[in-house]
Amino acid sequence: MVRSYWKQVLDEGLQVPTDRPLDDLTAELTTMLGSADPVLRDGTAYPALATWVDRGVYDDLLVGLGDGMAAGLAVGLGDVDTDTVFRRTFSVLVLAAVIERDSAAQLLPGDQVLRWGDRIVSWLLRERDLRGYVPGKGWAHAVAHGADAIAALAGSRHFGPTELTVLLDVLADRILESDAPLDSGEPDRVASAVMAVLRRNLVPVKVVEPWVARLAASGNPSVLRGDRNPYLVTNNAQQLLRSLYLQLAVAPGPPADKADLVLATVDALRATNPFTLAR
């Protein structure tokens, strides 16, 4: 019954149903965000909530919806390899949509968005279930979805140079503190979030350069690290540097300091790839 009801809603272009109160619809969709069924979660609940947010359906209820999604970040936090991850990682996507709606329509006070930013950052750094694709259940993708939320925060008018610098540090922390290689496209999404910060043109190059150097210090496989495969240990930092270079070089809408940022990233890649990029 749930499937057939929401399939009809999808087939009708995600128009808000008129046969039930919006509160009831929202509560049901929020529960579905935590479903292990990707059709209900990724194919129904998330697109419905995100679309309604974008269309302004929740404009008068945006704080309540955002707070509900922020609460979802704590559900099962600390669990590893359980289905609670879906509620967290899809709640953060809806919260990102809420923040983007505020950026488009300027509906919320700054302290509200900053509080959500604190919740997102805290969750992303504490999340321990870093699975990408879960067979039979679809995407969990905590790091990728967290990066998307950071990108939404980076676009907020409420975030200035100090807050944007913190976002860069959080992205680096998440990449460098991940024990296993992130092999489901996460470094690309993190690089996109970095680009969202850099496109604001508020964080000076003199701040970004040490940030890049920090990645380089952890991304050099020629430095032995105990009895582990050094390419596994350095993979995440190395992949982020490569993706950032590519996006700086070819992505549309580059930051104003593109040339200097490209040079800094190239220097980092040369330093961390001495066998192939040595001068």
Side-chain angles (χ1 to χ4, degrees):
M1 183 175 178
V2 170
R3 283 178 178 272
S4 60
Y5 181 89
W6 287 105
K7 183 179 185 304
Q8 182 175 350
V9 174
L10 289 166
D11 291 344
E12 293 176 354
L14 287 173
Q15 298 301 312
V16 180
T18 57
D19 61 334
R20 297 170 59 189
L22 181 60
D23 285 352
D24 292 351
L25 296 168
T26 303
E28 186 168 303
L29 289 169
T30 299
T31 299
M32 289 162 60
L33 282 179
S35 173
D37 183 341
V39 174
L40 292 179
R41 180 187 71 251
D42 208 347
T44 305
Y46 168 62
L49 287 166
T51 298
W52 293 353
V53 169
D54 184 61
R55 290 176 181 172
V57 172
Y58 290 107
D59 279 359
D60 293 332
L61 306 166
L62 214 52
V63 171
L65 180 64
D67 284 345
M69 294 301 116
L73 301 179
V75 175
L77 185 60
D79 291 355
V80 177
D81 296 340
T82 74
D83 291 342
T84 62
V85 68
F86 298 115
R87 175 64 188 279
R88 299 191 297 275
T89 63
F90 280 82
S91 291
V92 84
L93 282 185
V94 178
L95 186 51
V98 169
I99 293 165
E100 289 170 346
R101 178 60 184 167
D102 173 63
S103 293
Q106 300 190 6
L107 300 168
L108 300 172
D111 60 348
Q112 180 64 64
V113 177
L114 290 169
R115 281 196 294 270
W116 288 336
D118 288 341
R119 296 289 296 274
I120 291 168
V121 165
S122 176
W123 161 74
L124 182 58
L125 293 178
R126 294 169 61 198
E127 180 61 61
R128 291 296 171 259
D129 193 336
L130 304 185
R131 289 174 293 170
Y133 188 82
V134 182
K137 299 179 180 180
W139 292 105
H141 238 184
V143 174
H145 291 186
D148 293 348
I150 294 290
L153 291 169
S156 173
R157 69 192 184 283
H158 304 300
F159 275 59
T162 300
E163 293 81 10
L164 293 171
T165 300
V166 170
L167 295 183
L168 285 179
D169 289 336
V170 168
L171 292 169
D173 288 346
R174 180 67 276 180
I175 282 289
L176 298 178
E177 292 176 8
S178 301
D179 293 333
L182 298 168
D183 57 5
S184 296
E186 293 94 343
D188 293 333
R189 299 275 276 276
V190 172
S192 293
V194 173
M195 290 291 290
V197 172
L198 298 179
R199 287 189 177 105
R200 290 291 305 279
N201 297 314
L202 294 175
V203 181
V205 173
K206 66 180 181 181
V207 172
V208 180
E209 287 176 338
W211 182 86
V212 172
R214 180 185 173 203
L215 292 175
S218 297
N220 191 344
S222 67
V223 179
L224 294 178
R225 291 171 171 82
D227 192 29
R228 295 183 64 188
N229 180 344
Y231 285 94
L232 293 180
V233 178
T234 61
N235 175 80
N236 295 334
Q238 184 66 214
Q239 293 305 319
L240 176 54
L241 285 170
R242 294 182 185 192
S243 185
L244 181 58
Y245 166 74
L246 182 63
Q247 293 189 39
L248 281 169
V250 303
D257 294 322
K258 171 183 174 178
D260 290 335
L261 295 169
V262 168
L263 286 175
T265 308
V266 167
D267 287 344
L269 286 168
R270 283 202 173 105
T272 56
N273 291 271
F275 305 117
T276 55
L277 297 178
R279 294 179 184 273

